[in-house]
Amino acid sequence: MQYFQNYNPLNNVFLSTVVAALPIIVLLYLLAIHPHKNKYGRIERGIFAPYAAISAAIVGILVAVLVMKMPVPTALSAFVMGAMYGLLPIGWIVFSAIFLYTMTLVTGKFEIVKNSVASISPDRRLQALLVAFSFGAFMEGAAGFGTPVAVAGALMVGLGFRPLTAAVICLIANTAPVAWGAIGTPILTLSNVSGIPAELITKMAGRQLPFFSIIVPFWLVATLVFMDKGKWKDVWEVWPATLVCGGSFALTQYAMSQAGNVMLVDIASGIVSMVVTALFLKVWQPKHIIATEDALAGGETAATSAVAVKKQQLPRYTTGELIQAWLPWVLLAAAVFLWGMGDWKAFLNKISAPKINMPYLHGLVFRTPPVAHGNKPELEAAVYVFNWLSAAGTGIMVAALISGFFVLRLTPAQWSETLRRTVVRMKVPITVIATVVGLGYTTRYAGTDAILGLAFTRTGAAYPFFASMLGWLGVFLTGSDTSSNAMFGSLQRITAEQLGLNPVLIVTANSTGGVMGKMIDAQSIVVSTVACYEDHEEGMAAVGPIFRNVVWHSLALAILLSGLIWLQAYVFTGMQVPFTP
């Protein structure tokens, strides 16, 4: 039975919008607001993440069936397809990254990695810049789909950051690079659905996001300092390094994007930022070193002077020991880069990438105007590609296996311990990831996400501001800038042309606005808990607190970006990229 999406099922725009938002309202309420008693009898906000995800998914399916009139088998098939996508590639990426990280812990080699980073700078503010922002941006550019949060989060916890702090910092850091994530996949997807050349979109994004590539490192350091109960002077004490880190990234990002390079913007920017910042820290260190989370809370005397730190001798390692400890991470980065390359992906997909036409879903769901491009319904395909070989998680696992057999030389007991700890850590979070992504696919195929998106298009002359907020909403709903672009890219162009606005500016706003929503989507938050909390129950209980910590940062950055896009539309029009259909 064919299903045509109806964007006003209750014949009342306001009521239809409220009902469409119900699954999201339920999820947010249960995750972040609902009061309950913990095992110690204390009142906390937010329930156990799996229960919240399952409840929201049930509400989402009920709305799809009872309000949107979607056939029950079609709604269930949409949920199952999303759950499968949550397992592969997303869950597989996280599992493989945690497997490699656990391997380095079991063998004791991570201690060498930790001391190596501390030798660049023992200051946690600067370590956060290097690991969460620069290295995370490189991982986002190479693989995306949760990889930077999974890998950088695990590294930061290993360096001594509290799990909550590491999760929040990594989520905030993973913003400015997202539009060019996974070798430019979001922008390439946006180009396909909107009909605007990818080179024009990447040039326009390069006139927006570099400003935030400078802002985000300062934002990140400030967040870290205030989470450690510090003061503004502790933020500004490291401003030279923060500026070098963000500035080198932004300049490279701008240069690459204006050259029309879609695929390597983040990879080049991340590498340049890491190298330039590390070299700068060889000649400059802050006056006071903040080496532990308690240093700032303990007062000024708790911060160690740079001179005193130099006198503290870190363990000395031979070149061979350093190579052995770092080689697994080098192999991980190389594998992620290789698995992100289009030719290599195509080769692996030729070997094995079976496609599954989802029963009761594929060929049956149609988008309708104005979401569909044109004046007639548009088929929403539903093909799940089981690309187990070309998935980024497989590349990470290959790097882990090579490291385990040939670099770290794990014993059978160590292999067993690594697998056991990884499985225990992943078994509950992987269920939550699958459930949340399943909910996202249910709302996508039912059309409830489009109802929410259409609410933004009724803002008239203010639409340039809300165009990026639509992208922000899309990423929040789907967990992916790529998915948000696929969902709203065509709608953005249609609306821009109806209002007489530059389609390149408005279409690009969907992707650049979306990056600010990446830190608050449930999928990313759950990934961060897997990376940062070894105890899965503790990690699931932290989902609500993490969301409450990052939601205000996400909104503030989204509003700033929306303001910039509005100014580019009406004031600084020379910043627009010209477009002739």
Side-chain angles (χ1 to χ4, degrees), residues 122 284-289 303-312:
W284 181 92
Q285 289 289 329
K287 182 178 179 182
H288 296 99
I289 298 295
T304 312
S305 72
V307 174
V309 168
K310 287 181 180 179
K311 294 179 180 179
Q312 297 174 0

Side-chain angles (χ1 to χ4, degrees), residues 28 36 50 210 222 225 271 288 305 333 339 375 382 387 402 428 504 528 535 544 563:
L28 294 182
H36 77 285
V225 165
I271 291 173
H288 296 99
S305 72
W339 257 256
N375 297 316
N387 56 340
I402 292 174
V428 174
V504 178
S528 76
D535 185 317

Side-chain angles (χ1 to χ4, degrees), residues 521-564:
D521 77 80
Q523 168 192 307
S524 293
I525 292 175
V526 174
V527 168
S528 76
T529 66
V530 179
C532 300
Y533 289 85
E534 188 157 358
D535 185 317
H536 65 79
E537 287 193 8
E538 186 182 0
M540 291 300 95
V543 171
I546 292 172
F547 176 80
R548 290 194 296 271
N549 268 277
V550 297
V551 64
W552 306 114
H553 300 289
S554 178
L555 274 171
L557 287 167
I559 289 170
L560 286 174
L561 179 62
S562 297
L564 172 63

Side-chain angles (χ1 to χ4, degrees), residues 155-309:
L155 279 168
M156 288 187 67
V157 170
L159 289 168
F161 287 80
R162 282 187 306 147
L164 178 65
T165 302
V168 169
I169 294 304
C170 286
L171 288 167
I172 293 174
N174 188 37
T175 48
V178 168
W180 290 285
I183 317 291
T185 300
I187 284 178
L188 293 172
T189 301
L190 186 58
S191 173
N192 287 336
V193 299
S194 68
I196 294 176
E199 291 77 12
L200 298 184
I201 296 174
T202 205
K203 285 182 179 182
M204 192 67 245
R207 301 179 188 188
Q208 296 169 354
L209 290 179
F211 295 107
F212 292 86
S213 296
I214 295 175
I215 292 172
V216 167
F218 284 97
W219 202 294
L220 182 155
V221 170
T223 302
L224 174 62
V225 165
F226 289 118
M227 288 186 77
D228 287 348
K229 298 180 170 47
K231 300 177 181 177
W232 275 111
K233 68 180 183 62
D234 303 307
V235 177
W236 294 115
E237 186 178 40
V238 294
W239 75 263
T242 310
L243 183 60
V244 167
C245 178
S248 59
F249 186 95
L251 287 172
T252 309
Q253 191 180 54
Y254 177 77
M256 293 289 288
S257 64
Q258 298 313 295
N261 189 308
V262 181
M263 301 177 67
L264 299 178
V265 174
D266 282 346
I267 292 173
S269 302
I271 291 173
V272 169
S273 180
M274 279 189 287
V275 171
V276 170
T277 305
L279 291 174
F280 178 74
L281 293 177
K282 291 290 184 182
V283 298
W284 181 92
Q285 289 289 329
K287 182 178 179 182
H288 296 99
I289 298 295
I290 310 299
T292 67
E293 64 181 279
D294 299 322
L296 292 173
E300 202 170 317
T301 56
T304 312
S305 72
V307 174
V309 168

Side-chain angles (χ1 to χ4, degrees), residues 75-422:
L76 293 176
S77 184
F79 177 83
V80 170
M81 183 178 177
M84 291 164 64
Y85 183 82
L87 296 174
L88 181 84
I90 300 166
W92 180 226
I93 288 173
V94 185
F95 183 92
S96 301
I98 295 301
F99 186 78
L100 185 145
Y101 169 65
T102 305
M103 187 184 295
T104 65
L105 290 179
V106 167
T107 57
K109 299 304 179 184
F110 193 83
E111 194 68 20
I112 299 176
V113 172
K114 180 173 71 174
N115 289 328
S116 300
V117 175
S119 70
I120 298 175
S121 177
D123 191 285
R124 58 197 274 107
R125 296 165 294 184
L126 305 182
Q127 290 174 357
L129 288 173
L130 280 169
V131 175
F133 184 77
S134 301
F135 180 66
F138 168 79
M139 297 302 291
E140 176 65 38
F145 298 103
T147 309
V149 175
V151 176
L155 279 168
M156 288 187 67
V157 170
L159 289 168
F161 287 80
R162 282 187 306 147
L164 178 65
T165 302
V168 169
I169 294 304
C170 286
L171 288 167
I172 293 174
N174 188 37
T175 48
V178 168
W180 290 285
I183 317 291
T185 300
I187 284 178
L188 293 172
T189 301
L190 186 58
S191 173
N192 287 336
V193 299
S194 68
I196 294 176
E199 291 77 12
L200 298 184
I201 296 174
T202 205
K203 285 182 179 182
M204 192 67 245
R207 301 179 188 188
Q208 296 169 354
L209 290 179
F211 295 107
F212 292 86
S213 296
I214 295 175
I215 292 172
V216 167
F218 284 97
W219 202 294
L220 182 155
V221 170
T223 302
L224 174 62
V225 165
F226 289 118
M227 288 186 77
D228 287 348
K229 298 180 170 47
K231 300 177 181 177
W232 275 111
K233 68 180 183 62
D234 303 307
V235 177
W236 294 115
E237 186 178 40
V238 294
W239 75 263
T242 310
L243 183 60
V244 167
C245 178
S248 59
F249 186 95
L251 287 172
T252 309
Q253 191 180 54
Y254 177 77
M256 293 289 288
S257 64
Q258 298 313 295
N261 189 308
V262 181
M263 301 177 67
L264 299 178
V265 174
D266 282 346
I267 292 173
S269 302
I271 291 173
V272 169
S273 180
M274 279 189 287
V275 171
V276 170
T277 305
L279 291 174
F280 178 74
L281 293 177
K282 291 290 184 182
V283 298
W284 181 92
Q285 289 289 329
K287 182 178 179 182
H288 296 99
I289 298 295
I290 310 299
T292 67
E293 64 181 279
D294 299 322
L296 292 173
E300 202 170 317
T301 56
T304 312
S305 72
V307 174
V309 168
K310 287 181 180 179
K311 294 179 180 179
Q312 297 174 0
Q313 291 295 318
L314 290 169
R316 294 192 175 187
Y317 304 104
T318 65
T319 302
E321 288 174 323
L322 289 169
I323 291 174
Q324 186 184 35
W326 274 104
L327 195 52
W329 300 99
V330 174
L331 289 172
L332 180 149
V336 163
F337 177 75
L338 176 62
W339 257 256
M341 299 300 293
D343 290 343
W344 180 245
K345 275 182 176 290
F347 170 73
L348 294 177
N349 284 332
K350 284 181 181 178
I351 297 174
S352 179
K355 296 180 179 180
I356 303 170
N357 293 339
M358 294 300 296
Y360 306 106
L361 186 66
H362 179 64
L364 299 178
V365 176
F366 290 83
R367 293 181 182 182
T368 57
V371 175
H373 195 276
N375 297 316
K376 57 184 180 179
E378 184 177 79
L379 177 66
E380 179 78 284
V383 180
Y384 176 75
V385 182
F386 187 62
N387 56 340
W388 64 281
L389 271 179
S390 65
T394 301
I396 297 173
M397 183 55 72
V398 168
L401 294 176
I402 292 174
S403 299
F405 282 114
F406 303 109
V407 180
L408 303 178
R409 298 185 179 89
L410 273 70
T411 65
Q414 288 174 325
W415 278 112
S416 177
E417 177 65 9
T418 298
L419 181 61
R420 184 193 68 80
R421 287 172 61 173
T422 305

